[in-house]
Amino acid sequence: MIRIFRIPVLLLAVAACQRANAEPGGTASLPRGELRGLAGRIVFVSERDSQPEIYSVRPDGRGLRRLTDAASADYPAAPVPGGNALLAVSVTDEGEQQIERMVMLGYDGSATSIGPVSARVRSPSWSPDGRWVVFESDTASFRDLYRMRRDGGGLQRLTQNPEGNFEPSVSPDGQSIAFVSSRDGDAEVYVMRADGTGTRRITAFHRDDWAPRWSPDGKRIAFLSDREGADRVFTVGADGLDLQRLDTTAPDSALAEAEPAWSPDGTRLALTVRRRGGTARVAVQDLRTGKRTIVSGADEVASMPAWSPDGRHLVYVADRQGDPDLRIVRADGTAASTVVRSPGPDWLPRWIP
C-alpha cells in the first residue's frame, strides 16, 4: 500500500463546544508573569485573512506579526537551527495544477524561494547545524528525497524508488536520516546515512508505519503504525531493535493516537489521543514511569502539540466552538491560557527558541 502524505490540515468537521468563561475543564489560568517569562516565539498558521498565512507571536500573546503576505497558502515547516529564519512551504494554484515551493522566511520580513518548484515539495528537515536540509519532492519521480545547502545550492537526490519515499527526519547528530518508504509494498520506516548510502529497514510489518521522529539523544525513533487496527504510537531503537508500543496496556482498536512530539530532554512524549466516538485530547506520557496525563480541557477539541524550548509547557490547537485558537498549558496540565484568539482558524504551531 502506498501512503500519500499531505500538508497537515486541521479537520474542522467536529462537534463544537460552547465557549465557557472558565478555563477548560476547570483548569486554572496561567499567571501573566509565568507567560511573560516564557522564552522564544510561536509561529503558526492563521486563516484570519481568508487564506493560510504565517504569523509569529510571543508566548504571552504580545508582539503578533504577520510573516507572509502573498497570493499563496503558506505553512511553517521547519525552523532553521539557530532561530534566525524559518523554512516554509508555499502552495499556489497555477492553472489546474497545485504548485509547492520552499521559502526561507527571515524574521526581519525577508522571503527567498529556494530549491525545486513542483507539485510536491514538502516535509523539510534540517541538519543540526542548519547548513543543509533534506526534503521530499516529485521533481523527477513519484516521490523521492533530496538534500541541498541552506542557500539552495548543491541539490542531491538521495533515493530512487518508484514506490515513493517520504517524511525525512535528520538525526540529532546529523549523521543519519530516518524516512518512510513504500518500496517493499507498504509504508515502512528506514534509516540511511546523511549522504543517502547505507539504507537499513527499521520496521517490518504488513501494515503501514510512518511519521518517524528521532529522540533528542538519537537512540530511539517514535513513529505511527496501524498494525493493531488503529493508528498508535510506537518507539524503536535506532538499530531496529526493542520495538515498544507507547501505551503498554492491552491493544485497543478504539483508541487512536497521532502527532507524537518528543520533549527536549527526551523523557516524555506529547501526543493527540482520541477514543472512537470521543473528542481529541492532548496528552503527555512520561517514558520513565509510563504515566499518561491528559493536559487539554474536556470542553475542547485539541491537537498539534509542540513543546516549549525548556520542556515545561506546550502550545496546542484548541477548538471550543468551531474556531480553533492557540493555547499554552503546563506540561503537567495544571494551568492553561489562550494566547492567540481570532476570527478564523489558528493552527499548526511551532515553538522556536
Side-chain angles (χ1 to χ4, degrees):
M1 171 181 173
I2 296 176
R3 179 176 291 270
I4 304 297
F5 298 94
R6 307 182 189 280
I7 293 174
V9 294
L10 187 63
L11 298 179
L12 300 179
V14 294
C17 299
Q18 183 68 31
R19 187 180 295 272
N21 293 325
E23 294 300 324
T27 302
S29 296
L30 287 166
R32 183 174 296 275
E34 183 175 343
L35 284 170
R36 290 196 172 183
L38 297 177
R41 295 186 69 86
I42 297 168
V43 294
F44 62 99
V45 173
S46 181
E47 297 183 50
R48 66 190 68 192
D49 305 302
S50 77
Q51 68 178 13
E53 299 285 358
I54 301 175
Y55 280 75
S56 169
V57 71
R58 294 174 186 166
D60 62 1
R62 296 183 300 162
L64 182 70
R65 294 171 52 198
R66 180 172 171 172
L67 300 181
T68 59
D69 186 9
S72 59
D74 300 307
Y75 305 89
V80 181
N84 60 355
L86 170 72
L87 193 60
V89 172
S90 180
V91 182
T92 56
D93 290 322
E94 299 184 11
E96 296 182 355
Q97 186 176 18
Q98 177 178 284
I99 296 297
E100 298 177 1
R101 56 175 55 83
M102 292 185 293
V103 178
M104 188 77 75
L105 297 177
Y107 298 120
D108 59 359
S110 61
T112 304
S113 179
I114 64 170
V117 176
S118 189
R120 296 290 183 272
V121 180
R122 56 183 60 172
S123 303
S125 178
W126 285 102
S127 64
D129 59 9
R131 298 178 62 184
W132 53 270
V133 64
V134 61
F135 58 96
E136 66 177 74
S137 176
D138 67 348
T139 301
S141 60
F142 167 61
R143 202 74 55 81
D144 271 302
L145 304 185
Y146 295 80
R147 170 176 164 167
M148 70 179 179
R149 296 194 306 267
R150 177 172 173 164
D151 63 4
L155 184 66
Q156 176 187 1
R157 184 173 176 178
L158 300 181
T159 63
Q160 296 191 43
N161 298 100
E163 300 86 359
N165 298 276
F166 317 89
E167 294 191 316
S169 177
V170 180
S171 64
D173 63 4
Q175 299 300 305
S176 301
I177 300 169
F179 64 100
V180 178
S181 180
S182 297
R183 64 186 66 185
D184 294 312
D186 59 274
E188 301 284 358
V189 176
Y190 294 76
V191 170
M192 63 183 172
R193 298 189 189 100
D195 62 1
T197 63
T199 300
R200 297 179 289 113
R201 182 170 171 173
I202 299 300
T203 65
F205 200 79
H206 62 274
R207 303 290 290 271
D208 286 354
D209 301 320
W210 70 100
R213 302 287 184 270
W214 290 93
S215 63
D217 62 6
K219 294 181 179 180
R220 296 191 68 78
I221 299 171
F223 65 96
L224 289 166
S225 177
D226 66 352
R227 62 182 61 201
E228 294 180 350
D231 295 353
R232 303 296 294 273
V233 177
F234 288 77
T235 67
V236 66
D239 56 4
L241 302 177
D242 191 26
L243 177 71
Q244 299 179 18
R245 189 188 332 107
L246 182 63
D247 182 359
T248 57
T249 59
D252 184 354
S253 62
L255 179 67
E257 300 172 336
E259 304 168 327
W262 292 93
S263 64
D265 65 1
T267 64
R268 293 159 293 167
L269 272 169
L271 67 157
T272 301
V273 298
R274 184 179 64 83
R275 186 161 293 281
R276 186 178 300 144
T279 298
R281 307 285 297 278
V282 169
V284 172
Q285 183 152 334
D286 191 313
L287 301 178
R288 299 160 296 187
T289 65
K291 180 182 178 182
R292 177 173 293 189
T293 303
I294 300 295
V295 300
S296 62
D299 64 343
E300 60 190 15
V301 180
S303 62
M304 301 183 180
W307 289 93
S308 64
D310 63 5
R312 298 175 61 186
H313 297 79
L314 292 154
V315 61
Y316 68 95
V317 177
D319 184 351
R320 299 174 69 186
Q321 59 175 16
D323 190 4
D325 301 316
L326 299 188
R327 290 178 60 77
I328 288 178
V329 64
R330 289 179 187 154
D332 62 5
T334 56
S337 292
T338 300
V339 293
V340 174
R341 177 183 286 129
S342 70
D346 300 306
W347 53 287
L348 199 60
R350 302 282 189 267
W351 200 325
I352 59 177

